[in-house]
Amino acid sequence: MKINQIEIALNSADSQERLKALTALRNYEPDVVVPLLKTKLNDPEFIVRSFVAMGLGRKQRPDAFAALLDLMQNDRDYNVRAEAANSLAMYGYSALPHLIELFQQNQNWLIRRSILAAVMDLEEPNALWEICLAGLAGSDATVQEASVEALGLLANSVKAQEALEKLLSLCGHDSWRMRYSVAKALRQFKGIQAKVALGQLRLDQNHRVVGAAMEALL
């Protein structure tokens, strides 16, 4: 699509036409794309705003970063806010303080899972450690389990010992899902403490936990 066609489609009453126009923008440079994306920041359809968030991550400019921050913090739909967090992470280290702040302030499981996944990809151990601790301190079980598994990524980092100690403290957790996540994370650690803990988890009363611990032998 040519730019004039895209502009017309972006103002269509048909959301599918607007989505088609947003998809077509991938072929253009950020200086062309970002101003057009910003015109749809308040689109009535959450899927359109989600596409806008994706585009602002791929077509990077300072004002695109600012727009993503606003979407991530204030959009009325959690799906859009989660997508904005994913896109903001594409900006790298500069996004970390904002991602960490939102994770700590917002308890929504979808936003937290999205931020956790994004930070895992950034290879910043201190930030990941901080996010994992906050996730474990929260009340959502799925975020807690994901945070435990993410601790395994710290096995070869400056946070390795702290991550290992945290995992060891969770080996006897009441939830088998948490113990399962602990077993998966401990497989990333090579020391004797991890091996002893995995040995104990191989005797767990839940067969899924046993299976996860046994995989460390393969």
Side-chain angles (χ1 to χ4, degrees):
M1 295 175 70
K2 294 181 179 180
I3 285 296
N4 65 319
Q5 294 173 310
I6 291 174
E7 291 175 338
I8 292 171
L10 283 174
N11 291 306
S12 171
D14 185 347
S15 62
Q16 292 302 312
E17 286 297 310
R18 301 200 298 278
L19 289 174
K20 188 187 299 183
L22 291 171
T23 301
L25 284 172
R26 68 174 181 264
N27 299 316
Y28 293 89
E29 295 301 311
D31 288 347
V32 174
V33 174
V34 172
L36 291 174
L37 290 174
K38 288 168 63 178
T39 67
K40 298 287 103 181
L41 287 170
N42 296 309
D43 193 277
E45 298 292 336
F46 86 88
I47 187 64
V48 172
R49 301 196 306 279
S50 292
F51 269 57
V52 169
M54 286 188 277
L56 291 170
R58 291 174 173 82
K59 305 293 183 178
Q60 298 186 5
R61 294 196 331 178
D63 57 336
F65 186 95
L68 279 172
L69 270 181
D70 184 61
L71 280 176
M72 185 180 76
Q73 295 168 349
N74 301 311
D75 194 272
R76 58 187 177 275
D77 190 285
Y78 283 122
N79 292 282
V80 178
R81 297 177 73 176
E83 193 62 60
N86 288 331
S87 289
L88 196 70
M90 294 181 183
Y91 286 76
Y93 188 79
S94 60
L96 274 175
H98 304 287
L99 293 170
I100 293 171
E101 181 180 17
L102 183 63
F103 192 98
Q104 293 172 335
Q105 292 178 350
N106 195 293
Q107 295 293 317
N108 177 265
W109 71 270
L110 181 58
I111 290 177
R112 285 190 145 202
R113 288 292 299 270
S114 295
I115 291 175
L116 177 59
V119 174
M120 286 166 63
D121 289 337
L122 290 177
E123 297 183 357
E124 291 288 344
N126 289 309
L128 182 56
W129 170 248
E130 189 172 349
I131 288 285
C132 287
L133 289 183
L136 284 167
S139 58
D140 185 87
T142 63
V143 175
Q144 291 175 335
E145 292 154 19
S147 298
V148 168
E149 291 192 31
L151 289 173
L153 297 178
L154 298 172
N156 297 307
S157 76
V158 295
K159 289 294 182 180
Q161 187 58 39
E162 290 169 281
L164 176 60
E165 290 173 2
K166 189 64 178 178
L167 289 169
L168 294 175
S169 72
L170 296 169
C171 284
H173 199 279
D174 291 341
S175 167
W176 72 263
R177 292 182 181 276
M178 283 289 281
R179 300 195 305 277
Y180 174 82
S181 297
V182 169
K184 290 180 69 176
L186 283 173
R187 298 200 308 246
Q188 308 302 318
F189 293 82
K190 305 302 181 185
I192 186 65
Q193 289 177 296
K195 291 180 180 179
V196 170
L198 283 167
Q200 294 172 346
L201 290 168
R202 290 182 198 120
L203 303 175
D204 196 90
Q205 60 185 356
N206 187 284
H207 71 277
R208 298 175 185 84
V209 179
V210 172
M214 289 293 290
E215 285 184 28
L217 297 175
L218 302 178

